[in-house]
Amino acid sequence: MKAELRSNSTKISLPNPNLFQNQRGSSSLSGTLRGTLGSLDGACIEKLLLHCACALESSDVTLAQQVMWVLNNIASSNGDPNQRLTSWFLRAFIFRASRLCPTAMSFQSNTTSLTSSRPMSVTEFAGYVDLTPWHRFGFCASNGAIYKAIEGHSKVHILDLSITHCMQWPTLIDALAKRPEGAPFLRITVPSTRPPVPPLLNVSIEEVGLRLANFARSRDVPFEFNALKCSDSNAPNAFENLISSFYQELTVLNQLSPSSIVLREDETLIVNCQSWLRYLPEESQEANSCKPSTKDGFLQLIRGLNPHIITVTDEYCDLDSPSLAARTMACFNYLWIPFDTLETFLPKDSPQRMDYEADIGQKIENIIGFEGAQRIERPESGARLARRMKKANFSSVSFSEKTVKEVKFILDEHASGWGMKKEEDMLVLTWKGHSSVFTTAWVPNGCNE
């Protein structure tokens, strides 16, 4: 069944809901819902997803199964954006239901993830980043804030906490090479372990560093690259062990100190968080642990490093609710954005589109299918992040007009639905007016000019 789920088949084999009846008469629900097939819009699908989530949350597998049967007649991996998005929710629901009551489902799964992303080559990854402004927006805005912050500084050290394999830095290196006062000495430090999430690259972090060094040399920018060693052990392949590796072996939070990242007195420290904070839990993942492995603990440690500036970019949504129903609604109302954007410029059967959607599907599977430490996708809105940053004794920094113009120029290269808005000092990427990604810049209190 695993192969069937990962194929491009538009239907998943589920028992006919009429075979199941319960005392609450939930079988009649499926008959009512079936009558609406063919005229379902996003709002109707949202209601179906909510019914299914509520049923699973209350362990009513029979009712959940009946709703899934209806969803199965809507979902299509090569249909319109709503159908494609629904197919991933259906997979996640089936997986969750199979753990609640394996004998009632039409298959049993002995894996912890329904999909597995294929590592990309550097060339493929560059194309992935250029496909939409989802990543480039944050790269451009953050680089603009960093460039302005280090004016007049001769030695710069960037602690880069991101999932994008240093793809952000060639543009900054190129800009520094043209700096009127000359390029500074640039050092970049990255963790050797990252969250086990797409996008994945088929080269090591050391190879990435070597490529960056070669690029910097070609631009006459003095450069040094360091990988912060978090564990000497090889990370196992199993999903649960990768999670353990990220939270316990990496535990970059416990290693962020002036000595661990080799801070030098004559360097200006910059901290860059690109799609990183969402993978830190609200609570410690270890019982009776005093380790500061939470978002607030992380920010306290960063504050202790006294960085010159910290930039934060992440997805603008709240998907960390303990309620499955609430997460399902928030997830559906947010992740329609990438599915809708891809519809505007890629054919329905495009392999590139399917790969991109599969990465989003893995996110849905984690948000819907898992709880506890295994649910690592916990993004929060820019407004919540701002409150968290202020609590950690940081003050926001506004983006320059030059940076705003550069971001707008990037958006002009993409579909007309993309836009940008400001929320106080925050820049927000939008699709058809809906917030998708935010970027902010912060300085420790007392350092704001």
Side-chain angles (χ1 to χ4, degrees):
M1 186 60 190
K2 179 181 177 184
E4 182 181 347
L5 282 173
R6 292 177 59 181
S7 72
N8 290 327
S9 172
T10 61
K11 295 290 179 281
I12 298 172
S13 177
L14 287 172
N16 189 310
N18 290 332
L19 298 177
F20 300 90
Q21 306 239 354
N22 64 23
Q23 293 180 352
R24 292 187 293 180
S26 58
S27 62
S28 62
L29 173 65
S30 62
T32 301
L33 294 175
R34 282 200 311 276
T36 67
L37 290 178
S39 61
L40 288 176
D41 57 14
C44 293
I45 293 174
E46 183 179 0
K47 291 178 182 178
L48 286 169
L49 296 175
L50 179 59
H51 276 301
C52 193
C54 289
L56 290 172
E57 205 159 23
S58 61
S59 299
D60 189 342
V61 179
T62 298
L63 176 57
Q65 197 169 35
Q66 293 168 358
V67 182
M68 284 189 285
W69 187 90
V70 181
L71 289 170
N72 191 46
N73 284 275
I74 301 167
S76 171
S77 60
N78 57 5
D80 64 34
N82 277 335
Q83 290 175 307
R84 298 167 86 105
L85 179 58
T86 301
S87 70
W88 288 106
F89 275 92
L90 180 59
R91 285 163 166 78
F93 283 148
I94 290 175
F95 175 69
R96 191 174 182 114
S98 71
R99 287 182 294 153
L100 283 175
C101 187
T103 58
M105 301 305 294
S106 60
F107 76 102
Q108 295 187 37
S109 174
N110 55 12
T111 63
T112 55
S113 181
L114 301 180
T115 59
S116 179
S117 294
R118 176 184 65 85
M120 291 180 278
S121 68
V122 173
T123 301
E124 287 174 324
F125 182 55
Y128 176 94
V129 169
D130 288 339
L131 196 59
T132 72
W134 203 269
H135 294 297
R136 294 182 67 203
F137 169 82
F139 292 172
C140 183
S142 296
N143 283 348
I146 293 170
Y147 184 91
K148 185 175 185 298
I150 61 177
E151 287 180 350
H153 294 254
S154 60
K155 294 184 179 181
V156 178
H157 182 190
I158 298 177
L159 176 60
D160 181 32
L161 305 174
S162 73
I163 65 169
T164 49
H165 308 284
C166 296
M167 185 61 72
Q168 176 175 345
W169 304 124
T171 303
L172 179 64
I173 290 172
D174 194 55
L176 293 175
K178 304 170 185 175
R179 203 169 69 158
E181 66 267 38
F185 173 84
L186 177 64
R187 184 158 67 104
I188 294 179
T189 296
V190 301
S192 60
T193 306
R194 66 189 291 279
V197 296
L200 304 178
L201 202 59
N202 66 359
V203 300
S204 67
I205 188 63
E206 289 77 15
E207 174 66 19
V208 169
L210 180 61
R211 288 169 181 261
L212 272 181
N214 290 336
F215 181 80
R217 187 181 303 112
S218 73
R219 297 296 190 271
D220 294 324
V221 175
F223 183 81
E224 181 181 330
F225 185 86
N226 303 115
L228 181 63
K229 297 296 183 183
C230 303
S231 172
D232 294 329
S233 62
N234 293 322
N237 293 322
F239 179 78
E240 63 271 23
N241 289 331
L242 281 172
I243 299 301
S244 176
S245 173
F246 177 58
Y247 281 137
Q248 299 176 23
E249 296 176 12
L250 164 62
T251 315
V252 68
L253 304 180
N254 299 320
Q255 305 194 29
L256 290 183
S257 66
S259 59
S260 67
I261 61 175
V262 195
L263 289 184
R264 300 167 187 168
E265 291 185 1
D266 59 346
E267 289 181 333
T268 300
L269 178 64
I270 308 296
V271 178
N272 179 70
C273 293
Q274 184 83 215
S275 302
W276 185 270
L277 287 178
R278 82 179 83 139
Y279 299 110
L280 297 178
E282 191 65 42
E283 302 295 337
S284 174
Q285 297 298 320
E286 298 181 36
N288 302 318
S289 173
C290 61
K291 297 178 181 179
S293 55
T294 64
K295 291 183 176 73
D296 288 336
F298 168 82
L299 294 176
Q300 290 169 11
L301 285 169
I302 292 296
R303 181 63 180 84
L305 296 176
N306 196 33
H308 189 64
I309 192 172
I310 174 173
T311 55
V312 181
T313 298
D314 221 317
E315 296 177 344
Y316 202 116
C317 57
D318 289 312
L319 299 179
D320 61 345
S321 172
S323 164
L324 175 61
R327 289 203 308 274
T328 298
M329 292 301 92
C331 189
F332 181 77
N333 284 304
Y334 177 71
L335 289 180
W336 71 270
I337 295 175
F339 279 84
D340 193 54
T341 62
L342 294 172
E343 177 79 0
T344 64
F345 63 94
L346 287 177
K348 293 184 182 299
D349 58 351
S350 163
Q352 188 180 26
R353 177 175 178 177
M354 291 183 176
D355 285 346
Y356 198 98
E357 290 177 344
D359 287 349
I360 306 167
Q362 182 168 321
K363 180 193 298 288
I364 294 171
E365 290 171 0
N366 188 259
I367 292 169
I368 303 302
F370 295 99
E371 299 293 346
Q374 289 189 320
R375 179 162 58 84
I376 64 170
E377 290 279 355
R378 299 170 183 269
E380 60 184 16
S381 67
R384 286 180 62 189
L385 182 278
R387 292 193 294 270
R388 200 181 289 278
M389 295 296 295
K390 293 173 182 176
K391 179 182 175 182
N393 205 23
F394 286 94
S395 296
S396 62
V397 179
S398 60
F399 292 90
S400 68
E401 286 303 315
K402 179 181 179 182
T403 297
V404 171
K405 289 180 180 178
E406 289 174 347
V407 173
K408 288 181 178 178
F409 179 79
I410 284 179
L411 298 185
D412 288 341
E413 298 177 356
H414 294 276
S416 60
W418 292 106
M420 182 183 67
K421 65 180 180 180
K422 288 186 178 181
E423 292 186 4
E424 296 183 350
D425 290 332
M426 183 185 309
L427 294 185
V428 182
L429 175 69
T430 63
W431 172 253
K432 297 181 179 179
H434 297 270
S435 300
S436 58
V437 176
F438 71 87
T439 298
T440 56
W442 304 83
V443 297
N445 277 338
C447 299
N448 203 357
E449 298 179 358

